[in-house]
Amino acid sequence: LFPDLAGAFYGVATLGQLVRQLIGRHPAGEAKPGELPCLRIEDWPDFPNRGVMLDVSRDKVPKLETLKALADRLAGWKINQMQLYVEHTFAYRNHREVWEKASPLTGEEILELDAWCRERHIELVPNQNSFGHFERWLKFDRYKPLAELPEKASTLSPVEPRAVHLLGELYAEYLPHFSSRQFNVGCDETWDLGKGRSKPAVEARGEGRVYLDFLLQIHRLVQKHGRTMQFWGDIIMHHPELIAELPEGIIALEWGYDAGHPFAEDGRKFAEAGVPFYVCPGTSSWNSICGRTKNAMDNLWSAAGNGLACGAIGFLNTDWGDWGHWQHLPVSYLGFAYGAAVSWAAEANHEIDIVRALDRHAFEDAAGVMGRVAHDLGNAYLATNVTPRNSSIPWRLFHDPARPLDSDWMAQIKADRLEAAVAEIRAALALLSQQQMARPDASLIVDEFHNNARMMLHSLRMALTRLETGGSPLPEETRRELAEELEDIITEYRRLWLARNRPGGLDDSVSRFNTLRKFYA
Protein backbone atom coordinates (compact mmCIF):
# COMPACT_ATOMS: atom_id res chain seq x y z
CA LEU A 1 0.00 0.00 0.00
CA PHE A 2 2.78 2.43 0.95
CA PRO A 3 6.27 2.30 -0.59
CA ASP A 4 8.02 3.03 2.73
CA LEU A 5 7.49 4.38 6.24
CA ALA A 6 7.51 7.96 4.97
CA GLY A 7 4.68 7.07 2.59
CA ALA A 8 2.67 5.63 5.47
CA PHE A 9 3.40 8.76 7.53
CA TYR A 10 2.11 11.01 4.75
CA GLY A 11 -0.95 8.79 4.34
CA VAL A 12 -1.76 9.39 7.99
CA ALA A 13 -1.12 13.12 7.45
CA THR A 14 -3.67 13.09 4.62
CA LEU A 15 -6.18 11.33 6.86
CA GLY A 16 -5.62 14.03 9.49
CA GLN A 17 -6.27 16.71 6.89
CA LEU A 18 -9.53 15.00 5.90
CA VAL A 19 -10.66 14.88 9.52
CA ARG A 20 -9.84 18.56 10.03
CA GLN A 21 -11.87 19.43 6.93
CA LEU A 22 -14.87 17.56 8.31
CA ILE A 23 -14.51 19.22 11.70
CA GLY A 24 -14.30 22.59 9.99
CA ARG A 25 -17.77 22.10 8.49
CA HIS A 26 -19.51 22.14 11.87
CA PRO A 27 -19.73 25.23 14.09
CA ALA A 28 -19.45 23.05 17.17
CA GLY A 29 -16.05 21.88 15.99
CA GLU A 30 -16.93 18.18 16.03
CA ALA A 31 -17.32 15.79 13.13
CA LYS A 32 -20.50 13.72 13.07
CA PRO A 33 -20.14 9.92 13.33
CA GLY A 34 -19.77 8.10 10.03
CA GLU A 35 -18.96 11.14 7.93
CA LEU A 36 -15.49 10.07 6.80
CA PRO A 37 -15.88 9.43 3.07
CA CYS A 38 -15.09 6.11 1.45
CA LEU A 39 -12.34 6.88 -1.03
CA ARG A 40 -9.04 5.87 -2.55
CA ILE A 41 -6.17 8.35 -2.78
CA GLU A 42 -3.23 8.06 -5.17
CA ASP A 43 -0.79 10.75 -4.15
CA TRP A 44 2.88 11.55 -4.61
CA PRO A 45 5.12 14.63 -4.34
CA ASP A 46 6.15 16.78 -7.27
CA PHE A 47 9.48 17.57 -5.59
CA PRO A 48 11.35 14.77 -3.79
CA ASN A 49 13.01 17.35 -1.52
CA ARG A 50 10.61 19.79 0.15
CA GLY A 51 12.33 22.01 2.67
CA VAL A 52 11.92 25.00 4.96
CA MET A 53 14.85 27.16 6.01
CA LEU A 54 14.50 29.32 9.13
CA ASP A 55 16.86 32.23 9.78
CA VAL A 56 18.25 31.83 13.32
CA SER A 57 21.04 34.40 12.95
CA ARG A 58 19.33 37.80 12.38
CA ASP A 59 18.74 38.16 15.46
CA LYS A 60 16.17 35.60 16.59
CA VAL A 61 17.15 32.17 17.92
CA PRO A 62 13.98 30.17 18.71
CA LYS A 63 13.66 28.06 21.82
CA LEU A 64 14.05 24.34 21.27
CA GLU A 65 10.35 23.77 21.99
CA THR A 66 9.48 26.36 19.32
CA LEU A 67 11.57 24.50 16.74
CA LYS A 68 10.04 21.16 17.71
CA ALA A 69 6.52 22.52 17.44
CA LEU A 70 7.30 23.99 14.03
CA ALA A 71 8.77 20.67 12.89
CA ASP A 72 5.56 18.93 13.99
CA ARG A 73 3.44 21.32 11.94
CA LEU A 74 5.69 21.10 8.87
CA ALA A 75 5.79 17.31 9.01
CA GLY A 76 1.99 17.26 8.91
CA TRP A 77 2.24 19.33 5.73
CA LYS A 78 4.65 16.72 4.27
CA ILE A 79 7.80 18.85 4.45
CA ASN A 80 10.79 16.52 4.57
CA GLN A 81 13.77 18.86 5.02
CA MET A 82 14.47 21.63 7.52
CA GLN A 83 17.46 23.96 7.79
CA LEU A 84 18.47 26.50 10.43
CA TYR A 85 20.43 29.32 8.80
CA VAL A 86 23.55 29.82 10.96
CA GLU A 87 26.12 32.57 10.80
CA HIS A 88 27.26 32.73 14.43
CA THR A 89 24.54 31.06 16.49
CA PHE A 90 26.08 27.64 17.14
CA ALA A 91 28.10 27.32 20.35
CA TYR A 92 31.51 26.47 18.86
CA ARG A 93 33.87 25.49 21.69
CA ASN A 94 36.81 27.69 20.74
CA HIS A 95 34.92 30.77 19.54
CA ARG A 96 32.90 31.95 22.49
CA GLU A 97 33.26 35.67 21.80
CA VAL A 98 31.36 35.25 18.54
CA TRP A 99 28.21 33.72 20.04
CA GLU A 100 28.21 34.46 23.77
CA LYS A 101 25.51 37.17 23.55
CA ALA A 102 23.40 35.31 21.00
CA SER A 103 21.87 32.47 23.11
CA PRO A 104 23.16 29.97 20.53
CA LEU A 105 22.10 26.43 19.75
CA THR A 106 24.28 23.86 21.48
CA GLY A 107 25.46 20.54 20.15
CA GLU A 108 23.18 18.71 22.57
CA GLU A 109 20.17 20.68 21.33
CA ILE A 110 21.00 19.95 17.69
CA LEU A 111 21.25 16.23 18.49
CA GLU A 112 17.86 16.35 20.20
CA LEU A 113 16.24 18.31 17.37
CA ASP A 114 17.82 16.03 14.75
CA ALA A 115 16.30 12.97 16.42
CA TRP A 116 12.94 14.73 16.76
CA CYS A 117 12.94 15.56 13.05
CA ARG A 118 13.99 12.05 12.00
CA GLU A 119 11.00 10.57 13.82
CA ARG A 120 8.80 12.82 11.67
CA HIS A 121 10.60 11.99 8.41
CA ILE A 122 12.29 15.39 8.26
CA GLU A 123 15.97 15.62 7.38
CA LEU A 124 17.62 18.34 9.48
CA VAL A 125 20.21 19.66 7.02
CA PRO A 126 23.18 21.50 8.60
CA ASN A 127 23.66 25.08 7.44
CA GLN A 128 26.68 27.32 8.11
CA ASN A 129 27.41 30.31 5.93
CA SER A 130 31.04 30.07 4.91
CA PHE A 131 32.11 32.97 2.67
CA GLY A 132 29.86 36.03 2.72
CA HIS A 133 27.73 37.16 5.70
CA PHE A 134 30.66 36.57 8.04
CA GLU A 135 30.46 40.00 9.68
CA ARG A 136 29.50 38.60 13.09
CA TRP A 137 32.92 36.93 13.15
CA LEU A 138 35.05 39.48 11.36
CA LYS A 139 34.17 42.34 13.70
CA PHE A 140 36.45 40.77 16.32
CA ASP A 141 40.19 41.46 16.22
CA ARG A 142 40.96 37.76 16.33
CA TYR A 143 39.29 37.17 12.95
CA LYS A 144 39.95 40.45 11.13
CA PRO A 145 43.09 39.05 9.42
CA LEU A 146 40.76 36.64 7.60
CA ALA A 147 38.62 39.42 6.11
CA GLU A 148 38.62 40.65 2.53
CA LEU A 149 38.29 44.23 3.80
CA PRO A 150 39.68 45.39 7.16
CA GLU A 151 36.73 47.62 8.16
CA LYS A 152 33.02 46.77 8.10
CA ALA A 153 34.02 43.40 6.74
CA SER A 154 31.38 40.85 5.74
CA THR A 155 33.32 38.46 3.51
CA LEU A 156 36.15 36.02 4.14
CA SER A 157 39.15 36.62 1.90
CA PRO A 158 39.42 33.80 -0.66
CA VAL A 159 43.21 34.28 -0.83
CA GLU A 160 43.74 33.79 2.93
CA PRO A 161 44.67 30.14 3.76
CA ARG A 162 43.71 30.65 7.40
CA ALA A 163 40.10 31.19 6.32
CA VAL A 164 39.96 27.66 4.94
CA HIS A 165 41.59 26.37 8.13
CA LEU A 166 38.90 28.07 10.25
CA LEU A 167 36.11 26.59 8.14
CA GLY A 168 37.65 23.15 8.44
CA GLU A 169 37.69 23.49 12.22
CA LEU A 170 34.06 24.62 12.31
CA TYR A 171 32.84 21.83 10.06
CA ALA A 172 34.66 19.18 12.10
CA GLU A 173 32.83 20.29 15.24
CA TYR A 174 29.44 21.12 13.74
CA LEU A 175 28.64 18.34 11.28
CA PRO A 176 28.78 15.30 13.62
CA HIS A 177 25.62 16.57 15.33
CA PHE A 178 23.55 15.93 12.18
CA SER A 179 22.48 12.61 10.68
CA SER A 180 21.89 14.29 7.31
CA ARG A 181 24.50 13.61 4.64
CA GLN A 182 23.95 17.07 3.11
CA PHE A 183 25.41 20.43 4.12
CA ASN A 184 24.47 23.96 3.04
CA VAL A 185 27.64 26.08 3.11
CA GLY A 186 25.96 29.28 1.93
CA CYS A 187 28.51 31.36 0.00
CA ASP A 188 25.98 33.96 -1.19
CA GLU A 189 26.27 37.74 -1.47
CA THR A 190 30.07 38.00 -1.31
CA TRP A 191 29.84 41.78 -1.65
CA ASP A 192 33.46 42.53 -0.72
CA LEU A 193 35.03 40.11 -3.19
CA GLY A 194 37.76 41.76 -5.27
CA LYS A 195 37.64 45.01 -3.31
CA GLY A 196 40.41 44.24 -0.83
CA ARG A 197 42.99 41.52 -0.39
CA SER A 198 41.78 39.50 -3.38
CA LYS A 199 41.86 42.47 -5.78
CA PRO A 200 45.14 41.44 -7.49
CA ALA A 201 43.86 37.87 -7.92
CA VAL A 202 40.55 39.10 -9.32
CA GLU A 203 42.35 41.43 -11.73
CA ALA A 204 44.54 38.56 -12.88
CA ARG A 205 42.00 35.71 -13.02
CA GLY A 206 38.56 37.32 -12.89
CA GLU A 207 36.07 37.58 -10.06
CA GLY A 208 34.15 34.45 -11.04
CA ARG A 209 37.29 32.32 -11.15
CA VAL A 210 38.46 33.51 -7.73
CA TYR A 211 35.02 32.80 -6.30
CA LEU A 212 34.89 29.32 -7.86
CA ASP A 213 38.39 28.41 -6.67
CA PHE A 214 37.43 29.21 -3.06
CA LEU A 215 34.16 27.33 -3.47
CA LEU A 216 36.12 24.29 -4.61
CA GLN A 217 38.31 24.48 -1.51
CA ILE A 218 35.18 24.48 0.62
CA HIS A 219 33.83 21.56 -1.39
CA ARG A 220 36.94 19.51 -0.59
CA LEU A 221 36.38 20.18 3.12
CA VAL A 222 32.79 19.02 2.84
CA GLN A 223 33.83 15.88 0.99
CA LYS A 224 36.14 14.93 3.85
CA HIS A 225 33.03 14.57 5.97
CA GLY A 226 31.20 12.50 3.37
CA ARG A 227 28.55 15.14 2.75
CA THR A 228 26.83 16.47 -0.35
CA MET A 229 27.39 20.21 -0.56
CA GLN A 230 24.60 22.71 -1.13
CA PHE A 231 25.44 26.33 -1.93
CA TRP A 232 23.54 29.47 -2.88
CA GLY A 233 23.77 29.98 -6.63
CA ASP A 234 23.56 33.77 -6.94
CA ILE A 235 27.27 34.48 -7.45
CA ILE A 236 27.99 31.69 -9.92
CA MET A 237 24.90 32.82 -11.86
CA HIS A 238 26.76 36.06 -12.59
CA HIS A 239 29.44 33.92 -14.26
CA PRO A 240 27.39 31.30 -16.15
CA GLU A 241 30.39 30.21 -18.19
CA LEU A 242 31.77 28.62 -15.01
CA ILE A 243 28.66 26.63 -14.04
CA ALA A 244 29.84 23.62 -16.05
CA GLU A 245 33.00 23.50 -13.89
CA LEU A 246 31.09 22.88 -10.68
CA PRO A 247 32.07 19.49 -9.23
CA GLU A 248 29.86 16.46 -9.70
CA GLY A 249 27.22 15.97 -7.03
CA ILE A 250 27.14 19.55 -5.78
CA ILE A 251 23.65 21.06 -5.40
CA ALA A 252 22.99 24.67 -6.40
CA LEU A 253 20.31 26.65 -4.55
CA GLU A 254 18.60 29.03 -6.97
CA TRP A 255 17.04 31.73 -4.78
CA GLY A 256 14.84 34.73 -5.49
CA TYR A 257 12.17 36.37 -3.36
CA ASP A 258 10.16 38.70 -5.57
CA ALA A 259 7.32 37.53 -7.79
CA GLY A 260 9.20 38.14 -11.04
CA HIS A 261 12.41 36.27 -10.20
CA PRO A 262 13.72 34.40 -13.30
CA PHE A 263 13.52 30.85 -11.92
CA ALA A 264 13.02 29.45 -15.43
CA GLU A 265 15.97 31.26 -16.99
CA ASP A 266 18.39 30.53 -14.15
CA GLY A 267 17.14 26.98 -13.65
CA ARG A 268 17.77 26.13 -17.28
CA LYS A 269 21.41 27.22 -16.92
CA PHE A 270 21.97 24.74 -14.11
CA ALA A 271 19.98 22.03 -15.88
CA GLU A 272 21.89 22.43 -19.16
CA ALA A 273 25.18 22.11 -17.28
CA GLY A 274 23.96 18.95 -15.53
CA VAL A 275 24.07 20.59 -12.08
CA PRO A 276 21.25 19.43 -9.74
CA PHE A 277 19.47 22.38 -8.16
CA TYR A 278 16.69 23.45 -5.80
CA VAL A 279 14.40 26.41 -6.35
CA CYS A 280 14.41 28.62 -3.26
CA PRO A 281 11.58 31.14 -2.92
CA GLY A 282 10.50 32.66 0.40
CA THR A 283 7.64 33.45 2.74
CA SER A 284 8.04 37.23 2.10
CA SER A 285 7.64 37.84 5.84
CA TRP A 286 10.90 39.69 6.43
CA ASN A 287 11.20 43.43 5.80
CA SER A 288 7.41 43.56 5.83
CA ILE A 289 6.21 43.42 9.49
CA CYS A 290 2.97 41.53 8.64
CA GLY A 291 4.04 39.77 5.45
CA ARG A 292 3.40 40.32 1.74
CA THR A 293 0.68 37.82 0.88
CA LYS A 294 0.39 38.38 -2.86
CA ASN A 295 4.13 38.49 -3.44
CA ALA A 296 4.65 35.39 -1.30
CA MET A 297 2.10 33.31 -3.19
CA ASP A 298 3.24 34.53 -6.61
CA ASN A 299 6.88 33.90 -5.72
CA LEU A 300 6.23 30.43 -4.27
CA TRP A 301 4.08 29.40 -7.22
CA SER A 302 6.61 30.69 -9.75
CA ALA A 303 9.36 28.68 -8.05
CA ALA A 304 7.27 25.52 -8.07
CA GLY A 305 5.96 25.77 -11.61
CA ASN A 306 9.24 26.84 -13.21
CA GLY A 307 11.27 24.50 -11.03
CA LEU A 308 9.27 21.52 -12.21
CA ALA A 309 9.54 22.63 -15.83
CA CYS A 310 13.35 22.92 -15.54
CA GLY A 311 13.94 19.72 -13.59
CA ALA A 312 14.69 21.06 -10.11
CA ILE A 313 15.21 18.27 -7.59
CA GLY A 314 14.09 20.31 -4.58
CA PHE A 315 12.08 23.22 -3.25
CA LEU A 316 13.50 25.13 -0.26
CA ASN A 317 11.13 27.72 1.21
CA THR A 318 13.16 30.35 3.05
CA ASP A 319 12.11 32.52 5.98
CA TRP A 320 14.63 35.29 6.68
CA GLY A 321 15.07 37.80 9.49
CA ASP A 322 16.84 40.76 7.87
CA TRP A 323 17.08 43.97 9.89
CA GLY A 324 16.02 42.64 13.25
CA HIS A 325 13.52 39.87 12.47
CA TRP A 326 10.56 42.07 13.45
CA GLN A 327 7.83 39.74 12.15
CA HIS A 328 6.47 37.28 14.71
CA LEU A 329 6.50 33.59 13.73
CA PRO A 330 2.77 33.20 12.84
CA VAL A 331 3.19 35.85 10.12
CA SER A 332 5.14 33.19 8.22
CA TYR A 333 2.49 30.47 8.48
CA LEU A 334 0.82 31.54 5.23
CA GLY A 335 4.09 31.24 3.31
CA PHE A 336 4.99 27.95 4.98
CA ALA A 337 1.58 26.45 4.20
CA TYR A 338 1.32 27.57 0.59
CA GLY A 339 4.94 26.55 -0.05
CA ALA A 340 4.22 23.09 1.36
CA ALA A 341 1.14 22.80 -0.82
CA VAL A 342 2.74 23.73 -4.16
CA SER A 343 5.93 21.76 -3.48
CA TRP A 344 3.84 18.61 -2.97
CA ALA A 345 1.30 19.07 -5.78
CA ALA A 346 1.87 22.27 -7.70
CA GLU A 347 -0.98 22.28 -10.20
CA ALA A 348 -3.54 20.86 -7.80
CA ASN A 349 -2.74 23.48 -5.17
CA HIS A 350 -1.95 26.49 -7.36
CA GLU A 351 -5.30 28.14 -6.69
CA ILE A 352 -5.94 26.66 -3.27
CA ASP A 353 -8.22 28.61 -0.92
CA ILE A 354 -5.34 29.65 1.31
CA VAL A 355 -7.59 31.43 3.84
CA ARG A 356 -9.64 28.29 4.40
CA ALA A 357 -6.53 26.10 4.48
CA LEU A 358 -4.91 28.31 7.13
CA ASP A 359 -8.00 28.19 9.33
CA ARG A 360 -8.08 24.40 9.22
CA HIS A 361 -4.47 23.33 9.09
CA ALA A 362 -2.46 26.17 10.63
CA PHE A 363 -4.60 28.14 13.06
CA GLU A 364 -7.24 25.46 13.82
CA ASP A 365 -9.84 28.21 14.00
CA ALA A 366 -13.44 26.97 14.13
CA ALA A 367 -14.67 30.55 13.58
CA GLY A 368 -12.80 30.78 10.29
CA VAL A 369 -11.31 34.24 10.84
CA MET A 370 -7.58 33.85 11.55
CA GLY A 371 -6.77 32.82 8.00
CA ARG A 372 -8.48 35.98 6.79
CA VAL A 373 -6.63 38.10 9.36
CA ALA A 374 -3.24 36.72 8.28
CA HIS A 375 -4.09 37.01 4.59
CA ASP A 376 -5.45 40.56 4.76
CA LEU A 377 -2.78 41.99 7.06
CA GLY A 378 -0.25 40.52 4.65
CA ASN A 379 -1.91 42.28 1.72
CA ALA A 380 -2.38 45.69 3.36
CA TYR A 381 0.93 46.81 1.84
CA LEU A 382 -0.72 46.76 -1.60
CA ALA A 383 -3.11 49.53 -0.62
CA THR A 384 -0.21 52.01 -0.58
CA ASN A 385 0.23 51.45 -4.36
CA VAL A 386 4.00 51.47 -3.78
CA THR A 387 5.79 48.12 -3.76
CA PRO A 388 9.55 48.46 -3.28
CA ARG A 389 11.71 45.43 -3.93
CA ASN A 390 11.80 42.72 -1.23
CA SER A 391 10.02 44.91 1.36
CA SER A 392 6.85 46.84 2.11
CA ILE A 393 6.15 50.53 2.63
CA PRO A 394 5.05 50.12 6.29
CA TRP A 395 8.38 48.44 7.05
CA ARG A 396 10.40 51.02 5.11
CA LEU A 397 8.69 53.88 6.91
CA PHE A 398 9.50 52.27 10.25
CA HIS A 399 13.08 51.60 9.22
CA ASP A 400 13.80 54.96 7.54
CA PRO A 401 11.40 57.52 9.06
CA ALA A 402 13.35 60.66 8.11
CA ARG A 403 13.64 59.90 4.41
CA PRO A 404 13.16 63.11 2.38
CA LEU A 405 9.66 63.43 0.99
CA ASP A 406 10.96 63.98 -2.54
CA SER A 407 13.22 60.88 -2.65
CA ASP A 408 12.61 57.66 -4.64
CA TRP A 409 9.91 55.51 -2.99
CA MET A 410 8.93 58.22 -0.51
CA ALA A 411 8.00 60.57 -3.35
CA GLN A 412 5.50 58.00 -4.66
CA ILE A 413 3.49 57.84 -1.43
CA LYS A 414 0.10 59.56 -1.33
CA ALA A 415 -1.91 60.30 1.80
CA ASP A 416 -5.14 58.73 0.52
CA ARG A 417 -3.33 55.45 -0.19
CA LEU A 418 -1.80 55.39 3.28
CA GLU A 419 -5.28 55.95 4.72
CA ALA A 420 -6.57 53.06 2.62
CA ALA A 421 -3.88 50.81 4.09
CA VAL A 422 -4.82 51.96 7.59
CA ALA A 423 -8.45 51.05 6.92
CA GLU A 424 -7.51 47.55 5.71
CA ILE A 425 -5.35 46.90 8.77
CA ARG A 426 -8.08 48.07 11.13
CA ALA A 427 -10.65 45.88 9.37
CA ALA A 428 -8.43 42.83 9.78
CA LEU A 429 -7.77 43.63 13.44
CA ALA A 430 -11.51 43.88 14.09
CA LEU A 431 -11.80 40.16 13.31
CA LEU A 432 -9.30 39.06 15.95
CA SER A 433 -11.84 39.05 18.78
CA GLN A 434 -13.98 36.52 16.86
CA GLN A 435 -11.31 33.80 16.62
CA GLN A 436 -11.93 30.35 18.12
CA MET A 437 -8.51 28.75 17.74
CA ALA A 438 -8.03 25.35 19.32
CA ARG A 439 -4.28 25.77 19.52
CA PRO A 440 -2.67 26.03 22.98
CA ASP A 441 -0.89 29.20 21.89
CA ALA A 442 -4.06 30.87 20.58
CA SER A 443 -3.86 33.93 22.84
CA LEU A 444 -0.18 34.36 21.98
CA ILE A 445 -0.96 34.30 18.25
CA VAL A 446 -3.61 36.98 18.71
CA ASP A 447 -1.15 39.16 20.62
CA GLU A 448 1.57 38.62 18.01
CA PHE A 449 -0.62 39.71 15.11
CA HIS A 450 -1.91 42.64 17.14
CA ASN A 451 1.61 43.81 17.96
CA ASN A 452 2.81 43.59 14.36
CA ALA A 453 -0.34 45.31 13.11
CA ARG A 454 0.20 48.15 15.61
CA MET A 455 3.69 48.57 14.21
CA MET A 456 2.26 49.00 10.73
CA LEU A 457 -0.40 51.45 11.89
CA HIS A 458 2.24 53.42 13.79
CA SER A 459 4.49 53.82 10.75
CA LEU A 460 1.58 54.85 8.55
CA ARG A 461 0.37 57.42 11.09
CA MET A 462 3.86 58.87 11.31
CA ALA A 463 4.11 59.12 7.52
CA LEU A 464 0.69 60.74 7.23
CA THR A 465 1.74 63.38 9.74
CA ARG A 466 4.93 64.04 7.79
CA LEU A 467 2.92 64.52 4.60
CA GLU A 468 0.56 66.91 6.38
CA THR A 469 3.47 69.04 7.60
CA GLY A 470 5.13 69.04 4.19
CA GLY A 471 8.41 67.74 5.59
CA SER A 472 8.63 70.24 8.43
CA PRO A 473 9.46 68.88 11.90
CA LEU A 474 6.56 67.04 13.49
CA PRO A 475 4.58 69.04 16.05
CA GLU A 476 5.96 68.54 19.55
CA GLU A 477 2.76 67.05 20.94
CA THR A 478 2.52 64.59 18.04
CA ARG A 479 6.15 63.56 18.47
CA ARG A 480 5.56 62.95 22.18
CA GLU A 481 2.45 60.86 21.50
CA LEU A 482 4.21 58.81 18.83
CA ALA A 483 7.26 58.29 21.04
CA GLU A 484 5.08 57.02 23.91
CA GLU A 485 3.18 54.72 21.58
CA LEU A 486 6.44 53.37 20.16
CA GLU A 487 7.74 52.51 23.63
CA ASP A 488 4.50 50.67 24.39
CA ILE A 489 4.86 48.70 21.15
CA ILE A 490 8.48 47.83 21.99
CA THR A 491 7.59 46.70 25.52
CA GLU A 492 5.01 44.30 24.10
CA TYR A 493 7.42 43.24 21.36
CA ARG A 494 9.97 42.24 24.01
CA ARG A 495 7.40 40.17 25.88
CA LEU A 496 6.28 38.37 22.76
CA TRP A 497 9.84 37.73 21.59
CA LEU A 498 10.65 35.92 24.85
CA ALA A 499 7.55 33.73 24.58
CA ARG A 500 9.00 31.74 21.64
CA ASN A 501 12.64 32.78 21.46
CA ARG A 502 15.83 33.08 23.48
CA PRO A 503 16.95 36.40 24.95
CA GLY A 504 20.14 36.62 22.90
CA GLY A 505 19.67 38.92 19.94
CA LEU A 506 16.66 40.71 21.44
CA ASP A 507 18.63 43.85 22.30
CA ASP A 508 20.11 43.87 18.79
CA SER A 509 16.64 43.59 17.30
CA VAL A 510 15.22 46.35 19.50
CA SER A 511 18.19 48.58 18.65
CA ARG A 512 16.78 48.71 15.10
CA PHE A 513 13.97 50.85 16.52
CA ASN A 514 16.48 53.50 17.61
CA THR A 515 16.32 55.29 14.26
CA LEU A 516 12.66 56.04 14.92
CA ARG A 517 13.35 56.90 18.56
CA LYS A 518 15.95 59.46 17.49
CA PHE A 519 13.57 60.85 14.89
CA TYR A 520 11.00 61.54 17.60
CA ALA A 521 13.66 62.97 19.92
Side-chain angles (χ1 to χ4, degrees), residues 183-400:
F183 179 27
N184 183 352
V185 299
C187 299
D188 62 321
E189 297 184 328
T190 51
W191 294 308
D192 301 342
L193 183 60
K195 297 178 180 177
R197 299 178 62 198
S198 70
K199 186 175 181 179
V202 166
E203 290 175 346
R205 295 185 283 140
E207 181 179 298
R209 178 65 60 188
V210 172
Y211 175 87
L212 178 60
D213 286 349
F214 192 66
L215 190 73
L216 294 175
Q217 292 185 69
I218 293 173
H219 182 253
R220 286 192 285 272
L221 291 176
V222 175
Q223 282 190 308
K224 288 181 181 179
H225 296 276
R227 313 277 171 145
T228 296
M229 183 173 123
Q230 300 179 358
F231 79 105
W232 301 116
D234 55 314
I235 304 301
I236 203 71
M237 190 54 62
H238 292 307
H239 308 279
E241 73 281 359
L242 299 178
I243 292 176
E245 296 186 35
L246 290 168
E248 184 176 354
I250 198 171
I251 297 174
L253 303 175
E254 167 57 26
W255 63 267
Y257 308 131
D258 278 305
H261 181 77
F263 284 111
E265 179 183 344
D266 291 353
R268 277 194 295 268
K269 291 175 183 176
F270 286 122
E272 290 168 0
V275 176
F277 70 99
Y278 287 15
V279 285
C280 305
T283 62
S284 298
S285 64
W286 65 98
N287 297 351
S288 72
I289 304 179
C290 275
R292 294 186 294 149
T293 297
K294 185 180 188 307
N295 184 81
M297 296 182 70
D298 289 349
N299 175 237
L300 291 159
W301 162 246
S302 174
N306 288 306
L308 288 173
C310 295
I313 66 168
F315 181 104
L316 181 63
N317 189 2
T318 61
D319 191 59
W320 297 98
D322 300 36
W323 299 101
H325 215 139
W326 285 350
Q327 74 278 11
H328 296 297
L329 180 61
V331 170
S332 299
Y333 289 172
L334 184 148
F336 287 152
Y338 188 67
V342 295
S343 64
W344 180 270
E347 281 294 340
N349 290 319
H350 178 199
E351 297 183 1
I352 190 173
D353 185 342
I354 191 63
V355 169
R356 197 173 179 186
L358 287 171
D359 282 327
R360 290 176 176 173
H361 307 302
F363 295 116
E364 302 173 28
D365 183 11
V369 300
M370 280 308 302
R372 175 58 59 191
V373 170
H375 177 277
D376 289 359
L377 285 177
N379 261 345
Y381 78 105
L382 294 173
T384 66
N385 275 1
V386 185
T387 52
R389 180 181 177 275
N390 200 27
S391 61
S392 72
I393 285 299
W395 177 86
R396 284 190 176 249
L397 292 169
F398 222 113
H399 184 71
D400 192 6

Side-chain angles (χ1 to χ4, degrees), residues 415-450:
D416 63 328
R417 301 317 308 163
L418 295 184
E419 289 169 352
V422 167
E424 292 198 11
I425 295 167
R426 293 196 184 282
L429 281 177
L431 296 173
L432 275 176
S433 62
Q434 302 174 28
Q435 63 81 25
Q436 298 178 35
M437 285 185 283
R439 292 180 52 135
D441 59 350
S443 62
L444 177 59
I445 290 174
V446 169
D447 290 347
E448 287 169 325
F449 273 110
H450 189 260

Side-chain angles (χ1 to χ4, degrees), residues 4 9 12 25 34 36 89 116 124 206 222 252 314 329 413 421 424 475 485:
D4 52 27
F9 182 87
V12 172
R25 293 176 185 172
L36 274 176
T89 49
W116 184 274
L124 185 65
V222 175
L329 180 61
I413 296 176
E424 292 198 11
E485 182 180 71

